[in-house]
Amino acid sequence: MRDTELFQLALGLTSPWHVESCKFDLDKHRLDVKIDFPRGSVFACPSCGKEGCGAYDTTSGGI
């Protein structure tokens, strides 16, 4: 099992969400987990709950 799959299961992420990458820096005692979704995914509105809303104003790139 890959580390991204392990973290996806541990976090309980469901489609369209997925763990894109994981990076552990032992010296800094830091774990970075990048969570993403495929372009064109739709979601429920966080305000009214309406299904099928597209995402906008997202950013890509690393930390």
Side-chain angles (χ1 to χ4, degrees):
M1 177 177 286
R2 294 183 2 208
D3 55 349
T4 53
E5 294 168 339
L6 176 65
F7 280 105
Q8 183 147 338
L9 288 171
L11 294 169
L13 298 178
T14 58
S15 183
W17 296 103
H18 64 272
V19 174
E20 183 76 21
S21 63
C22 305
K23 182 179 177 186
F24 180 64
D25 187 325
L26 182 61
D27 295 330
K28 293 181 181 178
H29 301 270
R30 180 178 169 138
L31 172 64
D32 293 322
V33 180
K34 181 180 177 187
I35 299 171
D36 202 358
F37 56 88
R39 185 181 191 121
S41 296
V42 293
F43 303 91
C45 174
S47 298
C48 70
K50 178 183 173 188
E51 294 289 334
C53 298
Y56 61 93
D57 290 344
T58 63
T59 60
S60 63
I63 294 172

